[in-house]
Structure formats: structure tokens, C-alpha cells
Amino acid sequence: MHDTNFPPTKRAYTFCTKTREYLGELEAYLSPLEGTYPLPSNATFVEPGSNPGPLKARRLAQDGSTWEAVDDFRYIMLWDTKTALPVPNTLALGNMLPPGITCITPPTYSSQDCKCAAWDEGQGAWVAAPDYSRYPLWVKATAERAPSLPAGVELPDTLTTLPPPTSDHADAVWNEATSTWMLVSYDAPP
């Protein structure tokens, strides 16, 4: 006869047989004939410890003796740090983020902001960068249209986003004091 001082159940921990990822708890029931707690093949009595935190998961070590904290970037949005555009997430449990990819969502800016999101590698964060690439620009000295600037380039003092007024009898002249265009009349040629 077996010792009956064993509790009727014992806590066990399940894992995915493919990834060895922690899935949850189960109660293992005492087998009265054998005096053991039989487990399915995807369960262990090794305690997983506390939750490893965000973007981490618990995975049973290959030898089954302990749980390890591994990176877990599955099922989240990923962003290209050069373009601030989303990229497909094909990462598996334990994969680290590839270079040039982040899970930090870039900020968005309105069209009036003249800014774009730029990745600062040193800070590991998105920062606001100037972006006049989508805006028409004018040369203050001539009131002529200027070539577009690439994103990330500050607007030089010689350019403006404010379009000059047009007139058949006056020239548009930039007024630096008021940061606006003025129309200056000129005499029509004879």
C-alpha cells in the first residue's frame, strides 16, 4: 500500500512542445496506485518564476531543468528606423530585433508641422526632424520657386513656405521685418 500523505493534486506548468514557451498552469492528480503525479509530455514540475516583463517570455531550457527569459517580439508592430514605415513581423520566440528595426511606434505629425519622425540611434528613440520635402518653397530674394529640400534638412533663412502674391503691376518683395511678402509697384515700360 502506498503512502497516503501525498496531497491529491500538485501544481505543474505546461509549455508548447514546438517552442518550449510557457503556456500556463495545470493541476496534476495523484495516481493512487503508483503514488506519483503523471504529467503529459508538455508539462513539468519546474516552477517558471516571475513574469520576465514586457517583450519577454519564459521558455523551458532544452534540458528541462530551468526556465529562461527570452525576447518575444511576436505579434507586435515593427518599424523601419530609416523610413518610419511598418515592416512585416516574421520574428519567432527568442529572436532579437534585427538592426534598423524597432517596436517603438514613430510619432505622427500634421501637414502643418513641417516635421517627420527620425530615429536617433544614440537615444534609441524617435525624434522630430524638419521635413519640407512635401512643401513648395520660394526664394525670398527673387520670389522664384526653389527646389524641394530632402527630409531632415532645416529650412534655410533664404527660403520660405509662404507663396508670393502675384500682380501684373507690382513685384513681390520679401519683408524680413514682418516675415511676409509685399507688393512693390513698378512703372510699366514705355
Side-chain angles (χ1 to χ4, degrees):
M1 180 156 178
H2 291 286
D3 184 356
T4 57
N5 292 332
F6 291 121
T9 63
K10 186 175 178 182
R11 185 163 301 176
Y13 308 92
T14 61
F15 57 91
C16 172
T17 55
K18 183 176 179 183
T19 64
R20 303 185 67 75
E21 172 185 11
Y22 173 76
L23 297 177
E25 297 179 0
L26 66 79
E27 291 295 319
Y29 292 91
L30 177 64
S31 170
L33 296 175
E34 298 160 358
T36 62
Y37 299 89
L39 289 177
S41 62
N42 69 329
T44 180
F45 289 119
V46 176
E47 291 188 25
S50 61
N51 187 328
L55 304 176
K56 297 282 187 186
R58 291 174 279 196
R59 179 173 65 188
L60 189 62
Q62 199 63 37
D63 66 4
S65 64
T66 187
W67 293 89
E68 55 192 7
V70 295
D71 290 327
D72 189 8
F73 294 102
R74 302 169 298 166
Y75 318 118
I76 62 169
M77 288 291 297
L78 299 178
W79 305 89
D80 186 311
T81 57
K82 289 182 182 36
T83 64
L85 295 174
V87 295
N89 187 341
T90 58
L91 298 176
L93 180 67
N95 288 156
M96 293 176 45
L97 288 176
I101 302 297
T102 183
C103 60
I104 301 170
T105 304
T108 55
Y109 299 98
S110 76
S111 59
Q112 288 79 28
D113 288 331
C114 297
K115 294 183 188 219
C116 66
W119 184 253
D120 184 315
E121 195 66 43
Q123 293 182 35
W126 295 103
V127 295
D131 185 5
Y132 294 93
S133 62
R134 300 167 290 179
Y135 302 93
L137 303 173
W138 285 269
V139 178
K140 292 177 181 177
T142 63
E144 293 177 357
R145 186 80 184 266
S148 295
L149 294 175
V153 174
E154 290 282 354
L155 186 67
D157 289 338
T158 58
L159 300 180
T160 181
T161 58
L162 189 62
T166 57
S167 169
D168 291 337
H169 306 291
D171 286 331
V173 176
W174 183 256
N175 182 333
E176 200 63 50
T178 61
S179 295
T180 59
W181 294 101
M182 307 182 318
L183 286 174
V184 177
S185 295
Y186 59 88
D187 295 326

